Amino acid sequence: MSKTEVEQYEFEEVSSKPKIKSAIEALLFVSGEPLTIKDLSNSIEVSPKTISNILNEMILDYEEEKRGIKLISINGEYQLVTKAENSDYIQKLLKKNKRQSLSQASLESLAIIAYKQPITRVDIDEIRGVKSESAIHKLLEKDLIKEVGRLEVPGRPILFGTTEEFLRQFGLKELNELPSLDLYSEKDEETIEAMNEIIKEI
């Protein structure tokens, strides 16, 4: 394809922007799951570059307009989600809230996993000073954590890490957006308290 043909092709894609935006919105809405640029590009038959540019525009569109939803990117995948300011209404309708229904034990365990993943249950128990089996089970049920492998030691204990649902619930794109924290404090109880405060606030 010549340079002129490429420029013509890109011009046609850009001129079809409203139609492409509409198609992207429809695909994200119907999917209900995060989609990659490649997924959208293949479905709409538009170049990944154009899809990427339009997605960035759409993110800004949703933020600026008085809409009940927004477009987010998590680990290179895109998804439509509800805005945080509408959470009270949604909770009343669904009668559930993954974050507020977490016990103190679950919050402590989640904070430790978020900052020290991958980590085993035994290590979580040692940091907390109490058993965490029940708390971990609750976090698994709520899809906030998952098994990410096994430690290569006798018994091969399960390693836990956070999920994309965790990122969605706490409004993060990636784990590196977690506020920094010195995990090497000599006092574990102070570290846990600091973790809890951060998890509650974000």
Side-chain angles (χ1 to χ4, degrees):
M1 186 179 290
S2 68
K3 182 180 178 181
T4 302
E5 288 174 325
V6 170
E7 290 176 349
Q8 177 64 25
Y9 178 70
E10 290 180 348
F11 173 77
E12 290 176 356
E13 286 193 342
V14 172
S15 64
S16 301
K17 189 181 294 183
K19 185 177 179 181
I20 296 171
K21 281 187 176 182
S22 176
I24 289 174
E25 186 175 54
L27 290 172
L28 292 172
F29 177 78
V30 170
S31 170
E33 296 293 329
L35 295 176
T36 65
I37 289 176
K38 184 178 179 181
D39 292 331
L40 295 166
S41 176
N42 290 340
S43 297
I44 305 173
E45 297 182 352
V46 174
S47 70
K49 179 182 176 182
T50 299
I51 293 291
S52 179
N53 290 337
I54 291 177
L55 282 168
N56 289 332
E57 285 187 19
M58 291 176 69
I59 289 173
L60 294 176
D61 290 344
Y62 280 110
E63 287 296 333
E64 292 174 0
E65 297 176 15
K66 298 297 182 182
R67 306 285 290 273
I69 57 176
K70 63 180 179 178
L71 178 59
I72 62 170
S73 170
I74 297 177
N75 295 329
E77 297 183 325
Y78 295 81
Q79 185 175 26
L80 290 173
V81 298
T82 56
K83 287 188 175 177
E85 55 263 38
N86 296 319
S87 61
D88 288 344
Y89 309 118
I90 296 167
Q91 289 163 29
K92 287 179 182 178
L93 177 65
L94 300 180
K95 293 183 173 61
K96 63 179 181 180
N97 183 335
K98 292 182 180 179
R99 290 177 63 176
Q100 289 187 0
S101 63
L102 291 177
S103 65
Q104 183 62 30
S106 293
L107 273 175
E108 288 181 0
S109 300
L110 179 60
I112 292 168
I113 293 169
Y115 278 97
K116 303 202 73 170
Q117 61 186 304
I119 186 171
T120 66
R121 181 180 59 78
V122 172
D123 288 334
I124 297 169
D125 292 348
E126 288 182 359
I127 292 173
R128 294 188 60 232
V130 293
K131 294 289 185 182
S132 305
E133 188 173 356
S134 177
I136 289 173
H137 181 68
K138 291 291 184 185
L139 293 172
L140 286 167
E141 279 186 346
K142 295 177 182 297
D143 193 30
L144 293 172
I145 64 169
K146 63 182 177 181
E147 297 179 11
V148 296
R150 289 181 178 272
L151 193 63
E152 294 301 327
V153 297
R156 302 189 71 238
I158 295 170
L159 290 165
F160 295 99
T162 53
T163 63
E164 289 191 352
E165 179 64 19
F166 167 81
L167 295 177
R168 278 191 288 274
Q169 288 289 324
F170 289 88
L172 304 170
K173 289 184 179 180
E174 299 175 343
L175 284 172
N176 60 20
E177 289 188 350
L178 279 170
S180 62
L181 179 70
D182 179 10
L183 295 179
Y184 301 99
S185 168
E186 294 180 359
K187 298 181 179 179
D188 282 341
E189 64 273 14
E190 291 181 3
T191 301
I192 292 173
E193 184 177 346
M195 288 178 178
N196 284 339
E197 289 306 311
I198 290 173
I199 291 293
K200 287 176 183 177
E201 290 176 6
I202 58 176

